[in-house]
Amino acid sequence: MTSSIDRLTIFALLATATLPFAAFSPAEAATAQSCAVQAEQIRSQAEGADPKAAGKALRNVALAEKLCDAGNRHEAGKKFTLASSQLETSVQLADRR
């Protein structure tokens, strides 16, 4: 009886230890998908923006996509935010004319 309890305990400990690793795969897939969605949104905004601002924003989007591929979601988010703000500034200036 004690050997079955020990086996159950060992199995439970192994299952508990592997659960965090199983959760990383869906999270990485969701991160890659959100990077692609953000990139597409900024690219669509850049189509109607000032060409200089659009060029800067698209360069930052390309860099952000590379950062996403490398797994650095935090820095990629910063680049997406920068690209978005570059496009918003040009739109605001056009509205003020």
Side-chain angles (χ1 to χ4, degrees):
M1 183 97 176
T2 58
S3 65
S4 65
I5 293 174
D6 291 337
R7 288 180 187 157
L8 289 175
T9 303
I10 291 171
F11 178 74
L13 290 173
L14 286 173
T16 304
T18 58
L19 284 176
F21 297 109
F24 285 129
S25 296
E28 288 175 6
T31 300
Q33 185 178 19
S34 66
C35 284
V37 169
Q38 285 180 325
E40 187 59 37
Q41 288 174 346
I42 294 173
R43 283 191 180 106
S44 66
Q45 289 175 352
E47 289 177 4
D50 177 52
K52 286 184 181 180
K56 290 179 184 179
L58 292 175
R59 281 190 294 274
N60 282 318
V61 167
L63 180 58
E65 287 178 317
K66 289 178 184 176
L67 289 169
C68 278
D69 291 340
N72 195 345
R73 177 75 177 111
H74 181 70
E75 288 298 319
K78 287 182 181 180
K79 292 298 177 184
F80 282 128
T81 302
L82 177 62
S84 180
S85 68
Q86 289 170 334
L87 292 175
E88 289 175 6
T89 302
S90 65
V91 171
Q92 289 174 356
L93 292 175
D95 287 342
R96 292 181 188 165
R97 288 185 185 174

